[in-house]
């Protein structure tokens, strides 16, 4: 999915978005339209590209790797293919945005890639070498999710319950159930993603301009996991006070504004 807003005689910005555990580009929901509107308000020449890892979304028939490093290599390949198949203008800037496990993938990618990113934005992520497991995913949420992993409607309601603080989000359940039926999750791929995310150690901050965002009302992942990364990378932490783990769903305008302000 690409959203384009064009302004002449300006830098061109390309944003690559990565979702989290057992989620796909579909689950950005209305965030792309909010992001596009914000780029228009800033008269920004931008293109947004929403990516899936193997095993999720339209790639549900593929096998998910068992490591964040392999997922990052896959995302890098997708971005390389995009850059090869499109004629990008001189002076273009690349940006990487990842939420939750997508943030782990983004952190890994910038540490290894030869691609030159201008900025990376990590949202509500956690890392095995920085935070205890009971902060990385709250035990009641884990038990609730695992016990309902194969009951599609209950699973999607459970995910919305733990990731969104907006009661109106439950109205999205039918759409999310339809998506889950069209692109079913396999047990093997679910386990691979859980294993990879639970074992990922983040490295030192690279040379890319990096920004970290958290939600202090996150009921799935303790916001202090983001604080640990900010301390480790010696960066400020951007905190939203009311949203749940799925910040792009609960407060898309706040997030879009922060990303654009910090990447131009």
């Amino acid at each position: 999915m690409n959203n384009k807003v064009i302004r002449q005689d300006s830098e061109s910005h390309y944003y690559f978005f990565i979702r989290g555990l057992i989620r796909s580009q579909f689950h950005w929901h209305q965030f792309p339209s909010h992001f596009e509107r914000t780029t228009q308000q800033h008269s920004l020449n931008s293109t947004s590209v929403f990516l899936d890892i193997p095993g999720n979304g339209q790639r549900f028939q593929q096998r998910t790797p068992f490591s964040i490093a392999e997922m990052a290599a896959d995302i890098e390949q997708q971005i390389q293919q995009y850059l090869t198949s499109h004629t990008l203008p001189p002076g273009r800037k690349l940006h990487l945005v990842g939420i939750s496990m997508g943030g782990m993938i983004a952190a890994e990618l910038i540490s290894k890639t030869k691609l030159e990113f201008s900025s990376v934005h990590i949202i509500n992520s956690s890392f095995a070498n920085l935070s205890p497991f009971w902060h990385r995913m709250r035990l009641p949420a884990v038990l609730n999710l695992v016990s309902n992993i194969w009951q599609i409607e209950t699973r999607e309601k459970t995910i919305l319950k733990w990731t969104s603080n907006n009661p109106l989000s439950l109205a999205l359940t039918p759409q999310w159930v339809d998506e889950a039926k069209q692109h079913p999750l396999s047990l093997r791929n679910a386990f691979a993603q859980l294993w990879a995310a639970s074992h990922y150690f983040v490295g030192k901050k690279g040379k890319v301009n990096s920004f970290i965002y958290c939600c202090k009302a996150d009921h799935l992942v303790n916001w202090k996991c983001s604080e640990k990364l900010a301390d480790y990378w010696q960066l400020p932490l951007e905190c939203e006070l009311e949203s749940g783990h799925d910040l792009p769903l609960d407060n898309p305008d706040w997030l879009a504004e922060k990303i654009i302000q910090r990447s131009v």
Side-chain angles (χ1 to χ4, degrees):
M1 180 189 303
N2 297 336
N3 300 315
K4 296 188 177 181
V5 182
I6 298 176
R7 182 183 71 175
Q8 297 300 321
D9 67 15
S10 67
E11 292 177 328
S12 296
H13 296 264
Y14 292 79
Y15 294 88
F16 296 90
F17 293 85
I18 316 168
R19 258 289 177 171
L21 190 73
I22 65 174
R23 301 289 87 180
S24 70
Q25 59 180 280
F26 166 85
H27 295 99
W28 289 101
H29 199 57
Q30 294 300 315
F31 179 76
S33 61
H34 288 266
F35 192 78
E36 180 176 357
R37 183 170 63 245
T38 307
T39 61
Q40 290 173 334
Q41 293 169 353
H42 286 265
S43 299
L44 191 68
N45 179 0
S46 73
T47 300
S48 298
V49 184
F50 296 83
L51 305 171
D52 284 338
I53 64 166
N56 290 350
Q58 295 180 357
R59 304 179 69 191
F60 74 97
Q61 292 178 316
Q62 299 179 25
R63 294 166 69 86
T64 303
F66 276 89
S67 73
I68 296 296
E70 291 175 277
M71 295 181 199
D74 176 271
I75 291 293
E76 180 181 28
Q77 184 178 28
Q78 289 187 67
I79 295 173
Q80 288 278 21
Q81 289 173 347
Y82 180 89
L83 299 179
T84 300
S85 60
H86 293 74
T87 303
L88 272 60
R92 88 288 188 277
K93 291 189 174 182
L94 308 181
H95 309 277
L96 199 56
V97 182
I99 180 169
S100 197
M101 189 179 75
M104 302 178 208
I105 296 170
E108 176 68 14
L109 178 54
I110 63 169
S111 72
K112 302 287 178 62
T113 186
K114 293 182 180 179
L115 292 170
E116 295 183 1
F117 287 98
S118 294
S119 70
V120 61
H121 306 262
I122 297 175
I123 307 159
N124 290 333
S125 290
S126 65
F127 303 89
N129 55 325
L130 301 182
S131 298
F133 69 88
W134 59 88
H135 279 181
R136 300 192 66 208
M137 188 174 287
R138 299 180 193 275
L139 184 58
V142 174
L143 296 176
N144 203 190
L145 178 60
V146 170
S147 64
N148 292 295
I149 195 74
W150 294 122
Q151 300 172 2
I152 294 178
E153 184 170 353
T154 307
R155 181 186 76 205
E156 296 305 313
K157 282 183 178 179
T158 298
I159 291 172
L160 281 166
K161 169 189 171 183
W162 287 103
T163 61
S164 176
N165 290 352
N166 184 348
L168 298 178
S169 294
L170 284 178
L172 299 175
T173 302
Q175 297 176 46
W176 288 30
V177 169
D178 287 344
E179 167 65 15
K181 290 179 178 178
Q182 291 178 40
H183 304 112
L185 173 71
S186 75
L187 175 61
R188 185 247 176 232
N189 286 340
F191 177 75
Q193 292 174 47
L194 285 165
W195 177 270
S198 64
H199 288 76
Y200 179 61
F201 279 42
V202 69
K204 295 291 186 179
K205 176 183 173 294
K207 297 179 180 179
V208 180
N209 291 325
S210 302
F211 304 93
I212 304 167
Y213 310 86
C214 76
C215 296
K216 287 202 169 182
D218 188 339
H219 296 300
L220 181 67
V221 176
N222 193 311
W223 70 272
K224 289 185 176 295
C225 294
S226 293
E227 184 180 55
K228 290 286 188 180
L229 178 63
D231 290 344
Y232 187 55
W233 280 3
Q234 298 184 330
L235 293 172
L237 177 63
E238 295 279 357
C239 293
E240 202 273 4
L241 301 180
E242 298 180 355
S243 295
H245 188 69
D246 197 340
L247 177 55
L249 178 61
D250 281 4
N251 199 344
D253 291 326
W254 184 92
L255 180 59
E257 184 67 30
K258 291 292 184 181
I259 292 172
I260 290 168
Q261 284 181 358
R262 282 149 184 75
S263 59
V264 298

